[in-house]
Amino acid sequence: MKKLAVAFSALCIQMLSAQNVYLTKVEKVNDNTDKFLYKKQDATEAQYLGEIDVQGFSKDDAAIFSLIYKKAKEIGANTFSLKPFENVDGTPQPFNPSNYKLALYYTPKEKLAEQNGMLFIFASSEKNQKISINRKDFILEPRSYMTLQIIPDEIYTLSTKKLLGSTIKIQPKSKDENLYFQISSLKVKSDTSGIGGLNLKSGDIIGLEKSYAEFLSLIYKQQKP
């Protein structure tokens, strides 16, 4: 009986912490075969396709993005944006990671916003992360990120400041791309497909694929350096 009670409690906890992803609205279907799913910029021309609802909270953001990616590709979306809930007076409500909506779009490739050479550093979803960039220390709060402008050919040294932590060096050659990394104390398995997951594993400093990183920049809070 005691074992049954423990099992039931574990099941309840699992259900309460589960996060579900639903394709709740389909306006149009696009037949494009784009593999990426980027964040739509406000002023960008795009064709509205539908909406996704995310309900419940999960610490596994990579798994949730994979579900969102699959739902978006069902209707041919290649871009997305947050659709905030509104208060009675029409003002947007604060973002709630346990309940939010994403609008899905198809954006022609020539209309996609150009990257402007930024270095994105994301914390994990669970606890504060200490990071050193070129010997300058920062503390990233859980579910937050910071950005730094890239200077071409400058060497950037990223370190987790831990006894058994990681240190990597990067040297961007131009401002034609953004770079994305996440600081994590967990051992994360790389997604070798490069779609909707992680890659470029280097200890507990993990390189992120652009689509997933842009999703994190939508649901995480930006923190000033």
Side-chain angles (χ1 to χ4, degrees):
M1 190 69 173
K2 185 176 181 181
K3 290 183 179 180
L4 182 61
V6 172
F8 179 75
S9 298
L11 179 61
C12 290
I13 293 171
Q14 185 176 7
M15 291 176 65
L16 290 172
S17 63
Q19 194 165 30
N20 297 304
V21 177
Y22 303 101
L23 184 60
T24 54
K25 186 176 181 180
V26 177
E27 190 79 13
K28 294 181 180 179
V29 175
N30 193 290
D31 61 357
N32 83 87
T33 57
D34 294 335
K35 299 298 184 183
F36 61 85
L37 185 64
Y38 295 157
K39 183 167 66 175
K40 177 185 174 293
Q41 302 302 314
D42 292 338
T44 303
E45 296 181 21
Q47 181 184 41
Y48 172 76
L49 300 181
E51 290 180 11
I52 281 178
D53 276 21
V54 181
Q55 300 175 5
F57 180 76
S58 172
K59 295 179 181 179
D60 192 345
D61 296 314
I64 295 305
F65 179 69
S66 292
L67 294 175
I68 291 171
Y69 179 90
K70 291 175 183 177
K71 295 292 185 184
K73 291 309 172 182
E74 287 180 14
I75 59 174
N78 65 5
T79 43
F80 63 92
S81 67
L82 182 67
K83 189 174 182 180
F85 295 106
E86 294 184 347
N87 296 309
V88 178
D89 60 0
T91 57
Q93 295 180 5
F95 176 74
N96 179 359
S98 298
N99 184 22
Y100 58 92
K101 288 179 179 286
L102 298 177
L104 302 175
Y105 303 87
Y106 170 72
T107 304
K109 292 182 181 180
E110 64 272 15
K111 300 293 184 180
L112 292 172
E114 295 182 359
Q115 300 184 14
N116 54 0
M118 300 295 293
L119 174 62
F120 285 73
I121 308 292
F122 295 89
S124 72
S125 63
E126 298 186 50
K127 60 182 181 180
N128 286 353
Q129 299 287 336
K130 191 171 184 178
I131 179 70
S132 171
I133 305 175
N134 290 352
R135 297 185 179 181
K136 186 175 181 180
D137 293 344
F138 303 92
I139 299 291
L140 279 174
E141 298 175 357
R143 306 185 72 82
S144 71
Y145 71 98
M146 59 180 286
T147 62
L148 295 173
Q149 185 74 49
I150 287 174
I151 299 175
D153 292 323
E154 180 170 327
I155 297 175
Y156 293 85
T157 302
L158 280 62
S159 173
T160 57
K161 302 287 289 184
K162 298 176 183 177
L163 179 62
L164 300 177
S166 296
T167 297
I168 64 170
K169 294 180 183 290
I170 54 176
Q171 188 175 19
K173 296 300 181 182
S174 70
K175 289 186 176 182
D176 294 337
E177 62 178 348
N178 295 332
L179 299 176
Y180 309 96
F181 294 91
Q182 186 169 32
I183 311 304
S184 174
S185 59
L186 300 176
K187 183 177 181 181
V188 180
K189 184 178 181 181
S190 298
D191 178 357
T192 55
S193 69
I195 299 172
L198 312 176
N199 55 21
L200 303 176
K201 181 181 176 185
S202 179
D204 52 6
I205 300 178
I206 306 160
L208 302 183
E209 187 269 333
K210 180 182 175 181
S211 292
Y212 177 58
E214 293 205 343
F215 168 69
L216 289 186
S217 72
L218 193 73
I219 67 169
Y220 281 19
K221 182 179 179 181
Q222 185 169 4
Q223 184 174 313
K224 294 183 178 180

